[in-house]
Amino acid sequence: MHSIIGISAMSLSALPQRWGASLVVVIGMAGVVAVMISVLAMAQGLERTFANAGRADRVIVLRADDNSGMSSAITREQVPTVLAAPGFARDRDGKPLATVQKFMTSVLPDRKTGAESNILLRGVGDKAWSVWPEVRIIEGRRFAYGKRELIVGRAAQEQFRGLDVGADVEMVNGPWTVVGVFATGGSVLESELWGDAEMVMAGYSISGQFSSVVGLLESDAAFQTLKAALTGTPTLNHTIKRETEFYAEQAGGLARLVRTLGYVVAAIMALGALFAAVNTLYAAVKVRALEIATLRAIGFGALPVVTSVLLESLVLCLAGAVLGSALAYGFFNGYTISTLNAASFSQVAFAFHVSLGLVVQGILWSCAIGLLGGLLPALRAARLPVAEALRAS
Amino acid sequence: MKFLPLIWAMLWRSRARTWLTFLSIVVAFFLFGLLQAVHASFTAGVRSALDDVLIVTYRQGTIRPLPAAYLSRLTAMKGVAAVAAIAFLPGWYQDPKNPLVAIAIDITSGASDRRVIVAPEEVKAFRELRTGALAGRDAAEKYGWKIGDKIPLHSPIPRKDGAKHWEFDLVGFLDYDETVAGARPSSNFILVNFDYFDAAVQFPGWVMWYRVRIADPQQAAAIGQAIDREFLNSAFATRTQPEREFQAGFLRQFGDIGVMVRAILAAVFFTLVLIAGNAMMQAFRERIPELAVLKTVGFTDRQAGALAVGESLLLCLAAAAIGLGAAWLSVFPLRRSLDQLLAMTLPSTTLAAGIAIALVLAVVAAAVPAWKATRLEVAAALGAK
C-alpha cells in the first residue's frame, strides 16, 4: 500500500513536466463535461419551466379532436354546461373554481434587438385568481374586468420592450394598458400577458368562441367523474386533460430533441477525450520508462505501477470535469434564453438549470473516461521489459 | 510521387495512434458538416428570398388574416407588377403524425414563387382542374404519390358543410430550382387553387398574406410604405416587408436556441481539432531523429519538411473527406425524418470550407515540428529522444 501511494505521488508530482500534453486531456475533458452539462441544463430548464406551470389537480377542458390546446374552441353556449359538470372544486358560495380562457397572439419588439416576436395573451374569467393561486402581483395591481387592462409576466417584461406598468401596448384588437406585473415562481406563464377574457374576445374572435376552460378538481377521484360527465354530454365534444400532462406534452418534443443532442454530442466528444487521454498517457509511460524500469528492477511489483498510471489519468480527467462543471455553472446556471413554443406559436423564456445531479453525471463520465483511457497505457507500463528499458538510455 | 510509399510507411509508424487521430478528424468533420447543414436549412428561406417580392401581412403578424378584397387594391397600386393571394390549409395526411399543409395560391398571377419549378403541362392541368394539387418533391417522395392520386387532407379548418375532410387530385409536382434558390427549402406541402379553396371553405374571403412583385427592386421601401399607408385606417392595417426580412423575422422566432446549439457544436469541433492536432504534433516530435536520418542519407531540409507535411495532408484530407462524405450521406435521411422542422441541405460551400480547414490543420500540425527539425544539427537530432 505504501509503495502504491509513494509511486503514485511520484508520478503525479512529475505531472507539471508534461504539462503540454496533460493540458490537452484536461481541456478536452473540460469541453466534454461543460458541453454535456450545459446542453442537459438547457433541456432541464425547459422542462422545469413547463412543468412548473402545471398542477395535477388543475384540468383543461379541450375539444376532443384538439390535443395542443391552441386550436381548441368552446362556444359561449357550451360554457355553462361545462361549469355545471360535477368534479370541480367550489368556493364558499358554491361556484365552481373554473374559468374560460381565450388565447390570442400578438407581436412585440425584443428588448435587446428590437426584432418583433410573438407573445401570448391569455384572457381569463373572474375566478382566475382562485384557479391560479400561484399568480402573485409583484408590481402594480390586478387588471380590472371590462377594461382593456393587462398584467404582464415577469419573463415577458424582461424579454419585450414597452411592457412597463402604465405603458400602452398595441395589440391585435387595439391599445391595452399595462397595470401590473406578475410572477408564478418561474413557469411558462411568466412569458404571457393576461387580461379579461371578454375583452380579449371583443374585436378579435371571428368565430366568437373561447379557447378552453380551466378548473381545479375537488379531489383526485373527481378527474374520472368530470371526464365521464363531459364526454357523456351530447352537446359537448370535449374532454379533459390534467395540466401536468398538458405541459409535459408541450415541452416534450423540444426538450427531447435538446437532450438527445446533448448526449450525442457528449458521446462524440467523449471519444475524442478518451483518445487524448490514451495518447497522452502512452507518451507519459514512454517518458517514465526508465523510472518505471528502475522501480521494477529494485523490487516494486506491477500493481503500484499500474495504479500510478491509472491515477494520473483519473486526476487529469477529474481536473477537466471540475473545470468543465465550473464553466458550465458559471456561465449558464440561471442564464435565460427564449425560443418559440411551437404549441402556442409564441415566445417562451426559460433559464438553464445546472443541478447537482448533472454535475455528478459529468464527473462520473470523466471517471469512466479516465479509467478507460488509462487502462492500455497502464498495462503497457506493467509489461515494460525491464532490462531493455534500462539499456535504452 | 516516388516518395508516396515512404510517406505511407511513415504514416503507419504508430498504427493505433494514426487510427485514433484519423477517427477524431473524421468525427470532427462529420459534426462540422451536419452543423452547417442544420444552419443552411434554417437560413435557406432568407438566402433564397427574392429582392423584388414584398410580403403583405396583417399589421400584428400572420395571426390574423387579411380580407381577400385587398387583392384588387394592391394590384392597382403604382409600381406593383403582380399580386398573389396566399392562404394556408394546415392539417395532416392519413395520420396526425404526418402533418401536411396545403398552400392555396393563384399560380397564374405572376407573383407566385419563381424559385419553384413545375412542368408547363402540369401547370395547365392544375389550372384546368379546380380540385387539382401540385405536390412538393419532399412530400411526394415521402408518401410515394403519383399523378392521378387522391390526396385526403384532414384539417381543423372546416369546409362549407362543416366537414374537416378535404380532398385534392394530384396533377403534378413541384420542386425548388436550386440555381435560383441557392438552397433547397422544404417542399413538404401541396399547392392548391386559391379560387377553389376560397369557394369551398366555411369562412371565405380571407388571405394569410399577399405576395407582391414589384417592377423595380430599388423602390421596395417606398412601395412598402405606400401600401401600409393605403390600409392604415381600415379595420385591417397591413405590414409590408421585403421577402428577405419576412423570412428573417420568422427565423428569429426560434430565438437564442439556434445560436446556443451552434455555439456548442462549434466548441465541440474546436476541441476535437485541438486533440487531433496535438496528437499529430506529438507524433512528429517523436520522429525528429528519423527526419535526421533522412537528412543524413541526403534529403534536403525542404524535402524532409515536405515529407512531413505530405503525410499530414494525406491523413487530414482523407479523414476530412470521409467525415464530410458521411455528413452528406446522412443529410438525406435526416431531411426526410425532420421534414417539418428542417429542410436539411449541405451546400457545396460547406464542403469547400471543410476541405480548407483540413488543409490548414494539416499544414499547422506538420509545419511546426518540421521547421524545428530543419533547424536541428543532424548529429543533435539523431540523438534527440
Side-chain angles (χ1 to χ4, degrees), chain A residues 246-269:
Chain A
F246 178 80
Y247 283 112
E249 277 172 15
Q250 286 204 352
L254 193 54
R256 248 195 320 278
L257 193 72
V258 172
R259 182 163 288 140
T260 312
L261 177 85
Y263 280 119
V264 168
V265 166
I268 290 175
M269 285 187 88

Side-chain angles (χ1 to χ4, degrees), chain B residues 88-117:
Chain B
F88 282 75
L89 182 62
W92 42 265
Y93 170 71
Q94 284 179 339
D95 186 290
K97 284 195 200 71
N98 297 329
L100 179 71
V101 61
I103 301 174
I105 186 172
D106 172 10
I107 60 166
T108 60
S109 66
S112 55
D113 199 329
R114 288 192 306 289
R115 295 164 300 186
V116 169
I117 23 181

Side-chain angles (χ1 to χ4, degrees), chain B residues 194-380:
Chain B
F194 183 82
D195 289 346
Y196 168 70
F197 168 76
D198 198 50
V201 73
Q202 191 172 34
F203 300 104
W206 298 104
V207 169
M208 195 57 133
W209 64 68
Y210 289 98
R211 283 178 68 88
V212 174
R213 194 158 65 76
I214 54 178
D216 178 8
Q218 301 288 325
Q219 296 295 312
I223 296 173
Q225 282 161 11
I227 292 174
D228 290 344
R229 260 200 314 278
E230 168 83 13
F231 299 104
L232 188 61
N233 293 318
S234 59
F236 294 83
T238 61
R239 179 163 136 103
T240 308
Q241 293 169 284
E243 191 189 10
R244 195 174 308 279
E245 222 166 275
F246 176 74
Q247 297 278 8
F250 183 71
L251 199 61
R252 263 198 307 268
Q253 297 277 343
F254 290 95
D256 316 320
I257 212 160
V259 180
M260 286 301 310
V261 167
R262 265 172 71 81
I264 284 164
L265 290 182
V268 177
F269 181 67
F270 171 76
T271 311
L272 287 176
V273 165
L274 177 81
I275 288 170
N278 180 66
M280 280 162 61
M281 278 189 171
Q282 196 182 341
F284 283 120
R285 268 199 304 276
E286 282 176 12
R287 223 170 320 147
I288 285 177
E290 288 171 22
L291 290 176
V293 170
L294 288 177
K295 282 163 71 173
T296 316
V297 299
F299 278 79
T300 62
D301 278 349
R302 184 171 295 189
Q303 278 173 323
L307 277 179
V309 174
E311 176 192 333
S312 168
L313 275 178
L314 186 63
L315 182 67
C316 288
L317 287 182
I322 290 178
L324 291 172
W328 189 72
L329 283 179
S330 51
V331 156
F332 295 106
L334 278 173
R335 182 184 176 95
R336 191 159 296 182
S337 60
L338 297 175
D339 49 22
Q340 284 295 311
L341 216 53
L342 296 169
M344 299 273 280
T345 36
L346 193 55
S348 49
T349 48
T350 296
L351 299 178
I355 295 296
I357 294 174
L359 275 174
V360 171
L361 173 66
V363 171
V364 168
V368 177
W371 177 72
K372 271 191 184 154
T374 60
R375 286 172 53 95
L376 274 177
E377 289 296 321
V378 172

Side-chain angles (χ1 to χ4, degrees), chain B residues 17-104:
Chain B
R17 176 154 61 204
T18 302
W19 269 117
L20 289 170
T21 311
F22 182 79
L23 286 178
S24 309
I25 304 177
V26 167
V27 168
F29 280 88
F30 175 67
L31 212 60
F32 173 80
L34 277 192
L35 156 75
Q36 292 302 321
V38 169
H39 180 64
S41 61
F42 259 116
T43 54
V46 176
R47 282 182 295 121
S48 69
L50 299 169
D51 285 325
D52 62 348
V53 172
L54 301 177
I55 305 287
V56 182
T57 60
Y58 177 61
R59 172 74 196 90
Q60 308 279 17
T62 53
I63 41 166
R64 240 187 151 185
L66 289 171
Y70 282 12
L71 183 67
S72 51
R73 283 170 74 184
L74 282 168
T75 314
M77 288 189 65
K78 196 162 159 274
V80 169
V83 183
I86 311 260
F88 282 75
L89 182 62
W92 42 265
Y93 170 71
Q94 284 179 339
D95 186 290
K97 284 195 200 71
N98 297 329
L100 179 71
V101 61
I103 301 174

Side-chain angles (χ1 to χ4, degrees), chain A residues 12-218:
Chain A
L12 288 180
S13 66
L15 257 183
Q17 289 168 22
R18 304 189 290 271
W19 69 271
S22 308
L23 204 61
V24 171
V25 178
V26 175
I27 292 178
M29 203 60 236
V32 175
V33 172
V35 165
M36 184 177 88
I37 291 186
S38 340
V39 179
L40 295 184
M42 181 151 86
Q44 208 162 54
L46 192 64
E47 275 175 341
R48 265 167 60 104
T49 308
F50 278 93
N52 279 347
R55 273 175 58 160
D57 65 344
R58 203 155 52 201
V59 294
I60 308 176
V61 181
L62 297 161
R63 211 165 57 183
D65 60 353
D66 171 68
N67 42 25
S68 70
M70 278 314 281
S71 53
S72 174
I74 182 162
T75 64
R76 217 171 260 283
E77 297 73 42
Q78 288 169 329
V79 171
T81 319
V82 170
L83 292 183
F88 286 121
R90 282 166 196 281
D91 64 8
R92 248 175 268 127
D93 306 328
K95 295 223 178 75
L97 294 180
T99 170
V100 289
Q101 53 181 359
K102 176 70 185 176
F103 292 107
M104 169 174 117
T105 61
S106 195
V107 289
L108 283 175
D110 186 271
R111 192 179 276 277
K112 280 171 287 186
T113 64
E116 293 195 328
S117 296
N118 288 14
I119 188 166
L120 190 68
L121 170 58
R122 186 195 293 251
V124 293
D126 58 356
K127 283 278 177 273
W129 316 105
S130 320
V131 173
W132 286 279
E134 74 266 34
V135 171
R136 281 183 304 114
I137 300 291
I138 55 173
E139 194 193 332
R141 57 170 173 87
R142 290 177 181 179
F143 62 83
Y145 289 89
K147 288 190 175 162
R148 289 170 169 275
E149 289 183 348
L150 289 174
I151 54 173
V152 307
R154 187 163 56 178
Q157 194 191 32
E158 271 168 31
Q159 191 185 349
F160 293 99
R161 209 176 274 171
L163 290 182
D164 298 320
V165 172
D168 277 339
V169 189
E170 194 67 30
M171 299 295 283
V172 166
N173 51 5
W176 291 65
T177 308
V178 178
V179 298
V181 182
F182 69 93
T184 60
S187 74
V188 58
L189 302 183
E190 289 183 1
S191 290
E192 300 177 355
L193 310 178
W194 282 27
D196 177 2
E198 290 295 345
M199 298 311 292
V200 173
M201 292 273 276
Y204 167 66
S205 175
I206 296 175
S207 57
Q209 293 178 336
F210 291 103
S211 300
S212 46
V213 170
V214 183
L216 291 173
L217 292 174
E218 64 181 2

Side-chain angles (χ1 to χ4, degrees), chain B residues 167-192:
Chain B
E167 195 169 76
F168 300 98
D169 297 291
L170 192 64
V171 296
F173 303 99
L174 68 91
D175 197 2
Y176 280 96
D177 182 348
E178 275 186 75
T179 56
V180 181
R184 259 193 72 201
S186 171
S187 53
N188 186 30
F189 58 83
I190 59 174
L191 287 188
V192 300

